[in-house]
Amino acid sequence: MSTRGLAPRWLLLALALGWPAPSRAQSADPAASLDALRHGAGALLLALEELDRYHPPQATAPATALLAHPEPDVARAAGWYLRREGQAGAGVTAAAGILAAADALPEARRAAALGLGALRDGGAVGPLSAALAGDAEAEVRAAAAEALGELHRAGAAAALQQALAGGEGDPAVRAQAARALGGLPDAEPVAVSAGLSDVDAGVRLETVFALGRLGDRSQSGKLLLSLQSDADCRVRAAAAWALTRAGDCSAAAALRQVRDASTCRVAAQAAGFALAELACD
Amino acid sequence: MRWQATCGRRARRAARASLACLAGLLGLQGCTAEPPAGLVGKYGFERVAFVRRAHAPHAGSPLAEPAFAPGGDAALLMTAAPGAAVRSLTGGLDADVRGLDLSPDGERALVGLRTAPQDRYHVVEIDLTRRLDGDACLAEGGDLGPACRQLTFGPADDLEPQYLPDGRVAFLRQAPDGPVDFLGRGRALELWAVEADGTRPVRLSFTGGRLLGARGLPDGWVLGVAWSSRAGLASLTPVRLDPSGARGLRVDGPAPDPGAVPLGAVRDAYGQLVAACSALGGTWEAGSLCMQAPEGGWLPALSGIPAGVGCSPEGRLRDPWPLAEGLALVSYAKVPDGCMNAEDELDGRNPDFALAIVDRVTGARFPLASDAARDELWPRPVLERSLLDAGVSLPARPELGCATPGVVLEGVLDEATRSAGAVGLRVLVGLDGSLAPWDMELGGLEPATVCTGDGDGDGLADSQSAPVEADGSFRLRAPAGQPLRVQAVDAYGAALAQDPIWRDGPDCGRRSCGACHANGGEAPGFAASLAAARAPSPLDAPAADRRAFDFRADIQPLLDRSCAVAGCHDAQTAAGAYVDLGGQLRGLDLSATPQGRRSTAYADLLSVDVRREEASGRVLESRRPYVTPGRARESRLLQRLGVPCRWACAGAEAWAPWGVPEARRHPEDQAGAAPGLTDEERWRLVEWVDAGAPFHGAGAAP
């Protein structure tokens, strides 16, 4: 019989007798509160936040271990915690080791990649770039791309642009690379725009979002093509938004035409929104 | 007449005995009952709109990012009775829906809809009539059908939409380039609104963190809980915000218990606000039913289901919608052993939420619909309703037809701040993603700040400051649409008091700041004050001139020249040795030696000397660091260096009285020492500390 099954009635009886309710997310022992074998992701996330109030040295090791937790949010939070503790360098060493270990589970490598991103340490660029280029699992490479975007470091854009331009076979990874590039001011809009001709609609969509976030007018011509003729209506709608971000009034005529005559209903709606935002009339 | 059921009577007896928790011991979990005939007609609705979502990968946390969970839709339960038919409103099975609201006429529904892994959650409006007549919502090729209309676009996640009484649509937005979440974990979650046609997107809130469970009330305000930081630690603050932008944001009562955070408040037929009170450490968004007490706190409102973390044989509920006679439409779940919380995922026992009606007095439940493979969430009865109380009129939206751009901040300083020597005001502007493409980490403490300009072109940052009148009143005009925080400063430029919350407003909006500690609204005594009789002092430094502090560019050069010199605070000498609370000999190294992402100087200045409990590592004793972010007057660095008078110096002491006496002032001012700091440099240090002692500035690559 599971002892967990007895817990509710015991707890209610304890409460009825006025005993304080135990806190699942907090423990007198930091190592115990970060024990992934005893606590689920939600409790671990809150335990990290609680421990952030006083950063006990005893929590460093278990928090570092959480960099390999299969739940992405936990791995990210562990990286955040170590960064706040001033242990980003040690965290990078640990996570990079997991990421490079051939015998580590893909889930652990993926988590390590995301943790590296949350650590925001320049030392993570190399391990993440290597994982993006060479890990056998697409989900690990995608996590590496996401983490490179989180790092905001010189050198990250090059690896991501390489993946987007055709060095990567999996569309989910290319899409993640495009997404990450949208947050990097040193990304090259011309290089990013390579994703507009990708065969995968998800990659094209992320590329359009990225170009919009970069706010560069030099690619407006390509965005107009996406607006008018992309096979996926989501991409067309996103292109309307991206043209708005670039503030390019030369796109107004095309937007009007899409608003009034597009076969894509959502693109027409987006074009109407874009025209109102541009206010070029 | 409320429906009767055997288990309901048993539960009612238990509740009457004020031993609701004993219900679990008596084995009452799983109470079900057949409703009497006519229940549906009695409560005025025949259909319930709701959302079906794939089970969450774990029991949830407010920290989790909105992850795509395909396999859901918005749906309509055609009659509120067992076995009733369910119609999908969105269609398709690859979508994910977060949040649902119905228009006042019951003809349209809003959802936060995502249709592909690489897309985002967008606000989509569904025409229920057209949909039920057979028109599609989702179409081939990523398009929408005639029954649906997309209102938001772009790479942001737009969640939990709702209709506002002024005709606009509000929603929670997490944008990739939006403000950085407090404590630098991720992106903030903020309330935005668009017009009914999707145009004019505008941010309605800035709390420096995540706005949880925000819901519009019939009095025209939106009630939510801001999860942000105070003094560098996470804090929960109930807030009311005016979606028109005219009245801003107010703190609404005491901080909620982290074990019972009210989410999605709705007013019931008796005029009481009812919400789901959820624990930060429990199954997030689910908990028990609670209601707001007259003094503003929240009290349990349902027998049998306790709020908080831990196990509950009676399960958990979320998304309550009050019905008549003490009943509520809810989403309810339980697990076999009753221990449903954030740990259950370990055993594969994620809660399965299903639609139910609960009796708030007895705790009895009547199940409406259940799909074992998915959760049923956000139930809403389809019926006409008014979004505003009779007699309530909405304030005009200030930005419409605005002649003078900028938001006016006005108020009266409290007596304590005035008598402490307040001579001016400084406005900090929160850095958001557009200003700071690199994530900001301000010593790991306050969220981004700093509003400085170089108005005189001397290459030094000038505070944007405004005068305080003799009666303590002030009135200034600051840039609109940006998070702002007001600091009252003394004659030495150091902050005496700081507005406890961020404020922002539209062009022509007004924000009252009563003594910098008030909860908003009209500042007491302002109408008859000196400042009220004059035009606002403009703080209109061009955005291009505004910049944020960057420790390496603005502070480290001063340290290199005057402090980290050979034989003093360089890496080799680290002068100023002392025995710390842990018994170790430490010194102050102010060199630029890299230390992780920061420098040794920064780490040493902000390092807190602590003594810890051996077993847990909890802090037992601590000493102030050299720099206390946000508090220049209390920072040992500035106390030791001394700060000369800056403004309104007639009659003031030449050096800040909160510093050490001249005889003990730091050696660098003595003959033979390294070049000392100029007055401007000392004021720059004061501003840097009061701005939160940031390490990275806008645009500074870490």
Side-chain angles (χ1 to χ4, degrees), chain B residues 12-86:
Chain B
R12 190 174 292 120
R13 280 199 297 273
R16 206 175 289 132
S18 300
L19 289 172
C21 60
L22 289 179
L25 298 173
L26 294 171
L28 297 184
Q29 60 264 52
C31 291
T32 58
E34 286 296 322
L39 172 68
V40 170
K42 180 176 179 62
Y43 297 109
F45 60 91
E46 296 182 346
R47 295 177 293 181
V48 176
F50 64 102
V51 168
R52 294 186 286 199
R53 286 200 78 209
H55 290 315
H58 59 73
S61 160
L63 281 168
E65 301 295 318
F68 182 53
D73 62 2
L76 206 56
L77 185 68
M78 298 305 288
T79 59
V86 174

Side-chain angles (χ1 to χ4, degrees), chain B residues 186-210:
Chain B
R187 297 292 168 183
L189 190 63
E190 302 176 296
L191 194 70
W192 281 67
V194 293
E195 304 293 336
D197 62 358
T199 57
R200 295 179 70 98
V202 59
R203 183 174 63 200
L204 299 182
S205 74
F206 182 88
T207 62
R210 302 189 184 202

Side-chain angles (χ1 to χ4, degrees), chain B residues 116-349:
Chain B
Q118 266 76 48
D119 204 353
R120 307 295 192 272
Y121 294 92
H122 301 297
V123 176
V124 169
E125 187 176 56
I126 306 169
D127 184 322
L128 298 183
T129 304
R130 295 191 69 164
R131 179 67 184 128
L132 292 175
D133 285 346
D135 283 342
C137 176
L138 299 182
E140 294 293 317
D143 202 4
L144 293 178
C148 283
R149 189 168 59 119
Q150 188 167 320
L151 298 181
T152 64
F153 302 89
D157 283 312
D158 297 330
L159 315 165
E160 300 182 28
Q162 58 183 304
Y163 289 97
L164 291 176
D166 62 9
R168 288 184 296 168
V169 168
F171 52 91
L172 293 171
R173 167 167 283 184
Q174 190 167 40
D177 298 312
V180 178
D181 186 2
F182 75 101
L183 306 182
R185 279 189 309 232
R187 297 292 168 183
L189 190 63
E190 302 176 296
L191 194 70
W192 281 67
V194 293
E195 304 293 336
D197 62 358
T199 57
R200 295 179 70 98
V202 59
R203 183 174 63 200
L204 299 182
S205 74
F206 182 88
T207 62
R210 302 189 184 202
L211 187 61
L212 308 174
R215 175 74 59 74
L217 300 177
D219 59 9
W221 291 82
V222 172
L223 183 66
V225 177
W227 196 30
S228 54
S229 69
R230 183 167 292 179
L233 299 175
S235 69
L236 293 163
T237 308
V239 293
R240 264 175 188 260
L241 65 94
D242 174 15
S244 78
R247 295 172 293 187
L249 181 141
R250 300 175 178 178
V251 177
D252 188 69
D257 180 347
V261 182
L263 302 172
V266 188
R267 206 168 67 182
D268 68 11
Y270 310 107
Q272 284 186 312
L273 292 181
V274 177
C277 276
S278 180
L280 286 178
T283 307
W284 181 239
E285 294 184 307
S288 189
L289 210 62
C290 57
M291 61 185 177
Q292 193 176 39
E295 63 272 20
W298 292 80
L299 304 169
L302 182 68
S303 300
I305 301 182
V309 292
C311 303
S312 166
E314 294 294 297
R316 292 275 190 262
L317 59 81
R318 52 173 290 176
D319 309 324
W321 190 270
L323 305 174
E325 297 192 5
L327 302 180
L329 189 60
V330 301
S331 182
Y332 166 80
K334 69 195 298 288
V335 290
D337 71 354
C339 192
M340 187 185 71
N341 53 40
E343 300 174 16
D344 291 315
E345 68 203 81
L346 288 175
D347 298 332
R349 288 185 304 223

Side-chain angles (χ1 to χ4, degrees), chain B residues 530-570:
Chain B
L530 294 171
R534 64 163 172 76
S537 310
L539 297 183
D540 52 1
D545 286 347
R546 249 180 275 132
R547 66 183 178 84
F549 278 107
D550 184 310
F551 182 80
R552 287 162 302 183
D554 297 318
I555 307 301
Q556 188 65 54
L558 312 184
L559 304 180
D560 288 341
R561 188 197 66 209
S562 298
C563 310
V565 295
C568 291
H569 295 292
D570 62 326

Side-chain angles (χ1 to χ4, degrees), chain A residues 140-239:
Chain A
V140 179
R141 298 198 299 277
E146 178 184 337
L148 282 167
E150 288 293 309
L151 281 181
H152 298 303
R153 294 282 176 159
L160 292 163
Q161 286 166 183
Q162 171 68 22
L164 180 61
E168 168 59 49
D170 190 285
V173 182
R174 296 198 301 276
Q176 194 60 61
R179 184 172 192 163
L181 283 163
L184 297 179
D186 53 345
E188 292 289 340
V190 177
V192 175
S193 69
L196 291 178
S197 55
D198 199 285
V199 294
D200 184 83
V203 178
R204 299 198 301 278
L205 181 65
E206 290 290 4
T207 301
V208 168
F209 281 150
L211 288 170
R213 291 172 65 193
L214 292 171
D216 188 287
R217 289 190 187 186
S218 67
Q219 305 307 305
S220 291
K222 295 176 184 174
L223 286 172
L224 278 171
L225 274 179
S226 297
L227 170 73
Q228 293 165 322
S229 58
D230 195 284
D232 190 285
C233 289
R234 281 182 289 250
V235 179
R236 295 193 198 186

Side-chain angles (χ1 to χ4, degrees), chain B residues 486-512:
Chain B
V486 177
Q487 290 182 337
V489 296
D490 64 14
Y492 310 91
L496 286 159
Q498 178 168 282
D499 211 2
I501 57 174
W502 292 93
R503 301 178 190 277
D504 67 354
D507 284 324
C508 291
R510 285 174 62 206
R511 294 290 177 266
S512 293

Side-chain angles (χ1 to χ4, degrees), chain A residues 100-152:
Chain A
D103 57 345
L105 291 172
E107 293 82 3
R109 301 205 302 278
R110 181 186 65 163
L114 296 172
L116 281 169
L119 285 163
R120 312 268 170 82
D121 189 280
V125 172
L128 287 169
S129 298
L132 175 60
D135 197 283
E137 297 292 331
E139 63 176 16
V140 179
R141 298 198 299 277
E146 178 184 337
L148 282 167
E150 288 293 309
L151 281 181
H152 298 303

